[in-house]
């Protein structure tokens, strides 16, 4: 049997143990575990990598603990701007969406763009019009309201700052979710979704919805989903850079991920991490921050769900 497996992430950053209660930590781990199981069950029954990453990310989008979908942070005017992307490593087809506010599951819209549009990326009202055409599920503002997120926004608004998804200055958790997978047929896929930055202005877009920056998949090399401060990840073309190091320099998945995360990104003040898998079924979960909400499950029996470096 060919190896198969999946990895997920729910954000990275400075995550001190003393800032996260035991009860809240347990909720995060439970949420990661559910998302991991949702994706792995698809692979176990012979489903595609594309379906597996979609299902894992939908589970994370539905969980208000994570900054994507239902848990998305508030922008400067007190509403939500969500971004997402998904890519098939077999065909190199991709779908991406940015600046949407009413779609319950942005990753489902991204996949619908991949499958039913001649385009790769749609934004704002046009993307939502496309979603209506394909009968996707919408949600009103109340669905996306979370008191914890609302307090974050009010504090950021009062201070006149744009911030990453965190409650304390020392707790800089980059709120993006994502999944990568390899299926029984050896095909790869990657999916990424985010609510962006608290109090963001001017229609700001990060790396998550940009193919090659925050999300990339190619059967020849790897599938990658990133999480971190989007601007450095955009400038580094992070996800595609991992693939390029493998394709053109012959690096292993492990070495390529570490070259990008531990050497290239720090030079431009890029904090965060990524998850990746390659055509041989290897899985990497790499970050240069104090922690990353993450999990992986492989057909060889390995399974882990963790937050901190030492986990």
């Amino acid at each position: 049997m060919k190896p198969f497996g999946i990895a997920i992430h729910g954000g990275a950053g400075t995550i001190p143990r003393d800032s996260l209660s035991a009860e809240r930590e347990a909720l995060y781990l439970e949420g990661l575990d559910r998302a991991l199981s949702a994706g792995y069950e698809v692979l176990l029954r012979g489903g595609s990598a594309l379906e597996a990453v979609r299902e894992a990310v939908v589970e994370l989008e539905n969980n208000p603990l994570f900054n994507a979908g239902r848990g998305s942070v508030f922008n400067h005017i007190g509403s939500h701007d969500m971004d997402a992307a998904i890519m098939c490593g077999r065909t190199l087809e991709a779908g991406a969406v940015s600046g949407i506010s009413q779609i319950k599951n942005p990753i489902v819209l991204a996949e619908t763009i991949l499958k039913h549009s001649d385009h790769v990326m749609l934004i704002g009202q046009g993307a939502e019009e496309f979603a209506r055409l394909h009968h996707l599920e919408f949600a009103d503002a109340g669905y996306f309201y979370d008191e914890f997120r609302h307090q974050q926004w009010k504090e950021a608004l009062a201070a006149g700052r744009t911030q990453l998804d965190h409650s304390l200055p020392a707790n800089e958790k980059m709120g993006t979710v994502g999944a990568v997978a390899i299926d029984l047929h050896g095909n790869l896929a990657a999916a990424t979704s985010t609510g962006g930055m608290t109090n963001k202005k001017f229609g700001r877009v990060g790396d998550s919805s940009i193919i090659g920056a925050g999300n990339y998949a190619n059967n020849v090399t790897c599938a990658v989903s990133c999480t971190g401060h989007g601007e450095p990840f955009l400038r580094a073309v992070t996800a595609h850079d991992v693939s390029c190091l493998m394709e053109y320099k012959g690096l292993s998945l492990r070495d390529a991920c570490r070259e990008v995360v531990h050497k290239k990104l720090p030079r431009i003040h890029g904090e965060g991490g990524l998850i990746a898998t390659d055509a041989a079924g290897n899985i990497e979960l790499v970050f240069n921050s104090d922690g990353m909400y993450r999990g992986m499950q492989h057909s060889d029996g390995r399974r882990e769900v963790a937050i901190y470096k030492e986990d």
Side-chain angles (χ1 to χ4, degrees):
M1 181 177 68
K2 290 185 177 180
F4 61 91
I6 187 169
I8 62 170
H9 70 73
T14 305
I15 311 168
R17 284 187 183 272
D18 60 6
S19 71
L20 194 64
S21 69
E23 293 78 11
R24 195 164 179 84
E25 179 179 346
L27 288 173
Y28 273 113
L29 293 173
E30 181 185 350
L32 291 168
D33 190 72
R34 286 200 306 268
L36 192 61
S37 295
Y40 191 75
E41 284 299 318
V42 172
L43 300 174
L44 201 58
R45 65 172 185 261
S48 71
L50 196 70
E51 182 186 359
V53 297
R54 182 199 69 216
E55 288 302 298
V57 170
V58 163
E59 184 68 37
L60 292 167
E61 288 179 337
N62 290 344
N63 189 331
L65 287 173
F66 299 99
N67 178 16
R70 188 178 186 183
S72 294
V73 297
F74 289 82
N75 63 19
H76 184 63
I77 61 172
S79 62
H80 301 88
D81 290 321
M82 298 175 289
D83 304 336
I86 193 167
M87 187 166 183
C88 174
R90 180 178 63 84
T91 64
L92 300 186
E93 292 176 318
V97 62
S98 184
I100 56 172
S101 61
Q102 295 182 293
I103 305 298
K104 182 180 179 182
N105 291 111
I107 200 65
V108 174
L109 176 51
E111 185 189 36
T112 305
I113 293 168
L114 181 155
K115 291 182 174 180
H116 302 293
S117 171
D118 294 330
H119 309 301
V120 170
M121 188 173 192
L122 302 179
I123 65 171
Q125 291 182 350
E128 293 181 356
E129 181 182 349
F130 181 83
R132 289 188 183 91
L133 182 65
H134 290 276
H135 310 292
L136 300 193
E137 190 171 359
F138 281 65
D140 61 24
Y143 174 81
F144 299 103
Y145 182 88
D146 178 82
E147 183 59 28
F148 177 70
R149 300 288 189 217
H150 193 248
Q151 289 301 318
Q152 284 182 325
W153 170 65
K154 288 202 300 185
E155 291 167 8
L157 193 65
R161 67 174 181 261
T162 302
Q163 66 185 41
L164 298 167
D165 165 29
H166 60 85
S167 57
L168 298 169
N171 183 17
E172 294 182 351
K173 172 186 168 292
M174 287 73 163
T176 302
V177 307
V180 296
I182 178 170
D183 61 32
L184 278 166
H185 307 289
N187 295 316
L188 305 177
T192 309
S193 181
T194 187
M197 300 177 74
T198 300
N199 199 34
K200 64 184 176 182
K201 305 176 184 178
F202 314 121
R204 179 261 183 188
V205 176
D207 65 306
S208 298
S209 61
I210 307 301
I211 302 302
N215 196 79
Y216 188 72
N218 187 337
N219 276 11
V220 174
T221 52
C222 59
V224 181
S225 176
C226 300
T227 172
H229 191 175
E231 276 67 18
F233 279 70
L234 276 164
R235 299 201 305 268
V237 200
T238 303
H240 189 247
D241 202 33
V242 174
S243 175
C244 286
L245 288 170
M246 295 178 68
E247 185 171 6
Y248 303 130
K249 293 193 71 175
L251 269 63
S252 67
L253 179 69
R254 180 183 179 86
D255 289 344
C257 290
R258 279 155 177 74
E259 176 73 23
V260 171
V261 174
H262 294 306
K263 295 182 180 180
K264 182 175 182 178
L265 282 171
R267 289 197 293 267
I268 55 173
H269 309 292
E271 183 187 0
L274 58 82
I275 55 174
T277 186
D278 65 12
N282 297 303
I283 292 176
E284 294 291 331
L285 304 94
V286 185
F287 52 99
N288 60 30
S289 50
D290 287 350
M292 181 169 74
Y293 293 81
R294 63 197 187 275
M296 64 82 68
Q297 187 165 2
H298 196 278
S299 56
D300 64 10
R302 288 178 293 146
R303 181 185 174 96
E304 72 170 77
V305 176
I307 298 174
Y308 305 104
K309 270 186 177 179
E310 59 270 29
D311 289 346

